[in-house]
Amino acid sequence: MTALEPRDTAVADVAPTLPAAESDESTVLSRSYRALSIGMVSVVLLIAFEATAVATAMPVAARDLDGVSLYAFAFSGYFTTSLLGMVLAGQWSDRKGPLGALTSGIAAFAAGLVMSGTAQAMWPFIAGRAVQGLGGGLVIVALYVIVGRAYPARLRPAIMAAFAASWVVPSVVGPLAAGAVTEQLGWRWVFLGIPVLVVFPLALALPQIRRRAAGPVGGEAAAFDRRRIRFALGISLGAGLIQYAAQDLRPSSLLPAVVGIVLLVPAAHNLLPHGTWRAARGLPSVVLLRGLASGAFVAAESFVPLMLVTQRGLSPTAAGFSLAAGGVTWAMGSWVQSRPRMEPYRERLTTVGMVLVVAAIAVVPSVLIHSVPVWTVAVVWAVGCFGLGPVISSTGVLLLQLSAPEEAGANSAALQISDGLSSALLLAAGGAAFAALGGGSVADATGARPAAFAAVFLPMAAVALAGAWVTTRLRER
């Protein structure tokens, strides 16, 4: 396979022309980029810490609010509105610049945390999670657009690696810190403590964002595309209905599933690049690869702790720590792709990465055989995360290379939609297969049969294998 050179198919560099004094800056922590890089990485760090901490506190919150039956909606509510936020951010960033989307997203993210942290019942708590998801969707797309505008092409792999590294500490410390706060102060402080920390990254990064990435491309603001916004509402509502139906396998759930599919399919078709579903070469395959890689990995990872607790008798803490090393190896894999000498081999690196992901997902269920050491999971999952690191970061780098400046926002939104939508749908499919084969509910699977876990991991390995094939189509001819 011939590797894609850095600028073979890219249009003009998305970043604006830099003054001569700044063009010599060679790292993301050089004087010209230091404040911007630290501020943006801090935003990602807070999002990562929130994701790991809230997952730890969620069971206690649901029980305290008498809402265990609505437990899954606390997660799906976040995802559903984040899809809408991604599309809005893409429109906003392309037409008026990413600054407004970023600041509004962080404000909504913080407001949602406060709403959930002060909720006295489960539905207001879920509403807070939905507001938080809207903010999260705005932020993640805005960050990608800022990377495209503010950094030259040679520095984008490094800032993407820094984003990945931001998940290392939260993945290890987050659950422990959230558990301690929940036990000593109460679950509400897990939600209420994070908004205060938003002030630092905003104060640090905003001046640089205003200088480097504010305003629309070309200087003229265009009107919002209302058609795309309607599709965003359709994909969000459709995904929510499908998730609801997958949690309840009774015949009555067929109707919301059908309605969800009717809403989601045409919306996704119009929001993703033309040719995504058939893996057309270039940008469509980049977007598809992101969805296949993230979706298969997230769906499989969600069932690893449950398998270790119910089948091998580990405590929840020990089961969670079996995945902790993955945060470190993920960052290591992303660092590898950021090395300048790896640029000519970027597509080949994604192929190797996906093969490692396939192997990890396929081998993990071997611990269902009790003669297989339980530590096998920690080793195998660390290898899989090392493979996924360069895949996730490289899709972001390639997307910016293949996007015209005025399309960077919409294409970044498409990449994140593919990521989130695939994760949610494959989780729903995995959960339905798990329940159908004797797994019971995900919340209570003490009597789960080993076959129920195999029905999750093996199909996800097949999805990842399809992603390995897609890596051969990232180059435009």
Side-chain angles (χ1 to χ4, degrees):
M1 177 181 66
T2 304
L4 175 66
E5 293 297 334
R7 298 180 185 271
D8 276 353
T9 58
V11 293
D13 197 345
V14 179
T17 302
L18 300 176
E22 293 181 3
S23 62
D24 294 332
E25 301 287 354
S26 58
T27 74
V28 295
L29 291 178
S30 297
R31 178 177 56 84
S32 296
Y33 299 105
R34 187 178 301 134
L36 178 62
S37 297
I38 294 175
M40 291 175 63
V41 168
S42 297
V43 170
V44 177
L45 184 69
L46 289 176
I47 292 175
F49 183 78
E50 180 277 338
T52 56
V54 167
T56 301
M58 195 71 76
V60 179
R63 186 170 61 247
D64 186 46
L65 296 174
D66 194 25
V68 175
S69 62
L70 300 174
Y71 182 82
F73 286 100
F75 293 96
S76 61
Y78 181 101
F79 160 75
T80 300
T81 53
S82 71
L83 289 174
L84 175 60
M86 291 169 190
V87 176
L88 290 176
Q91 293 267 306
W92 199 337
S93 298
D94 285 341
R95 285 157 176 77
K96 298 186 177 181
L99 182 59
L102 179 68
T103 54
S104 299
I106 291 178
F109 191 80
L113 284 166
V114 172
M115 288 174 62
S116 293
T118 58
Q120 300 300 313
M122 194 61 180
W123 279 115
F125 179 89
I126 293 172
R129 290 287 291 164
V131 173
Q132 191 183 340
L134 178 65
L138 288 168
V139 168
I140 192 64
V141 172
L143 288 177
Y144 267 72
V145 176
I146 292 169
V147 169
R149 291 200 188 186
Y151 294 87
R154 69 181 186 279
L155 294 183
R156 292 176 198 155
I159 193 63
M160 293 295 183
F163 287 171
S166 300
W167 284 81
V168 174
V169 173
S171 67
V172 177
V173 176
L176 289 176
V181 170
T182 300
E183 292 175 7
Q184 300 300 322
L185 301 177
W187 64 267
R188 294 183 185 277
W189 288 103
V190 174
F191 291 84
L192 298 176
I194 295 176
V196 179
L197 304 177
V198 170
V199 177
F200 168 74
L202 273 182
L204 197 60
L206 283 184
Q208 287 293 316
I209 295 174
R210 286 194 185 97
R211 186 165 72 91
R212 293 176 175 274
V217 175
E220 295 185 8
F224 278 74
D225 186 341
R226 295 182 180 180
R227 184 168 175 265
R228 287 184 67 86
I229 295 175
R230 287 197 298 271
F231 285 135
L233 290 170
I235 200 172
S236 299
L237 182 58
L241 289 171
I242 291 172
Q243 290 174 80
Y244 170 79
Q247 294 167 16
D248 184 1
L249 297 180
R250 292 178 299 179
S252 59
S253 66
L254 183 61
L255 178 60
V258 171
V259 174
I261 292 171
V262 169
L263 289 171
L264 185 145
V265 171
H269 177 74
N270 283 277
L271 290 174
L272 299 178
H274 180 69
T276 297
W277 303 119
R278 56 183 174 84
R281 288 188 174 275
L283 182 64
S285 286
V286 171
V287 171
L288 178 61
L289 174 61
R290 180 62 164 263
L292 295 175
S294 292
F297 196 85
V298 168
E301 185 178 54
S302 300
F303 284 85
V304 171
L306 190 67
M307 179 177 65
L308 294 176
V309 170
T310 61
Q311 302 298 308
R312 297 302 297 264
L314 270 65
S315 68
T317 301
F321 269 113
S322 68
L323 304 177
V328 178
T329 57
W330 184 314
M332 290 172 58
S334 187
W335 177 84
V336 168
Q337 66 80 37
S338 72
R339 300 300 86 196
R341 63 178 178 272
M342 298 303 297
E343 185 61 38
Y345 310 104
R346 183 169 298 282
E347 287 72 21
R348 196 170 303 168
L349 190 62
T350 62
T351 302
V352 173
M354 285 306 300
V355 170
L356 293 178
V357 171
V358 173
I361 297 175
V363 172
V364 157
S366 66
V367 297
L368 292 168
I369 304 171
H370 282 256
S371 60
V372 176
V374 74
W375 50 258
T376 301
V377 170
V379 174
V380 168
W381 211 247
V383 172
C385 286
F386 180 81
L388 192 64
V391 174
I392 297 301
S393 295
S394 290
T395 54
V397 172
L398 290 169
L399 177 124
L400 293 175
Q401 289 180 358
L402 296 169
S403 297
E406 66 276 10
E407 297 174 346
N411 289 343
S412 296
L415 188 75
Q416 298 301 327
I417 288 171
S418 179
D419 187 318
L421 182 61
S422 177
S423 296
L425 294 182
L426 289 177
L427 269 170
F434 180 78
L437 290 181
S441 68
V442 174
D444 180 17
T446 53
R449 301 172 183 172
F453 289 100
V456 174
F457 289 105
L458 297 182
M460 297 310 156
V463 172
L465 185 61
W469 171 76
V470 173
T471 63
T472 66
R473 301 181 61 80
L474 303 181
R475 179 184 174 90
E476 287 184 334
R477 287 182 176 175

